[in-house]
Amino acid sequence: MAHFAKIGSGNIVEQVIVINNDVITDANGQEQEQLGKDFINNLYGTNDAWVQTSYNHNFRKNFAGIDYLWDPERNAFIPPKPYVNWILDEDTCLWKAPIDKPITYEDGFKDHNNNPVPDKYYWDEQYAKWNKF
């Protein structure tokens, strides 16, 4: 199945739909994004902007979601920024905290294979730090 994101004002994703791969496959058996765009606009009787997105993250960094930003310069979908002071990781186009999340095992929990389970933390925006649950 092929997935397409409808791009609205400010390059913000408004909708994500699924269409059959046959629709975007040309006579030579090659997938063509433009065939999908044309099919969707013909189906809805519109002239909207559509961009193909990959559910498996094979291209365009991230699978598009509602309110994601389509960045044509990076050729990537970027999720909404979760906190004001988080920064964009240019390699993944995902947001990350200004400090790395700690990995500790103080709680002593173990999984079903008796492996230690990392402690859980949450981001405290007010103090710009990770706190343990």
Side-chain angles (χ1 to χ4, degrees):
M1 300 307 280
H3 298 79
F4 282 80
K6 180 180 175 185
I7 310 302
S9 175
N11 281 348
I12 302 299
V13 174
E14 296 180 346
Q15 180 182 9
V16 179
I17 65 169
V18 180
I19 61 175
N20 194 302
N21 280 342
D22 293 345
V23 170
I24 64 170
T25 304
D26 67 16
N28 297 320
Q30 300 295 312
E31 288 188 1
Q32 302 291 333
E33 182 175 6
Q34 188 61 48
L35 293 173
K37 295 176 183 184
D38 294 343
F39 173 82
I40 296 165
N41 280 320
N42 287 334
L43 180 68
Y44 291 128
T46 61
N47 192 24
D48 294 323
W50 293 91
V51 177
Q52 191 173 4
T53 183
S54 173
Y55 184 77
N56 299 317
H57 306 272
N58 292 333
F59 54 89
R60 300 199 167 126
K61 304 285 186 182
N62 302 296
F63 182 67
I66 305 298
D67 292 332
Y68 276 47
L69 172 69
W70 164 241
D71 186 331
E73 290 180 17
R74 290 183 176 98
N75 193 26
F77 289 102
I78 301 171
K81 191 173 187 177
Y83 299 103
V84 120
N85 61 354
W86 282 35
I87 54 177
L88 187 66
D89 181 323
E90 290 291 338
D91 292 331
T92 64
C93 284
L94 295 172
W95 299 100
K96 64 180 184 176
I99 57 174
D100 289 337
K101 184 177 178 180
I103 299 174
T104 62
Y105 299 90
E106 296 167 359
D107 289 342
F109 293 117
K110 301 203 181 223
D111 67 14
H112 64 282
N113 290 324
N114 206 30
N115 296 317
V117 174
D119 300 326
K120 294 185 180 186
Y121 287 84
Y122 68 93
W123 180 252
D124 183 337
E125 180 66 8
Q126 181 178 356
Y127 297 104
K129 68 176 192 162
W130 292 100
N131 285 327
K132 194 170 159 187
F133 277 103

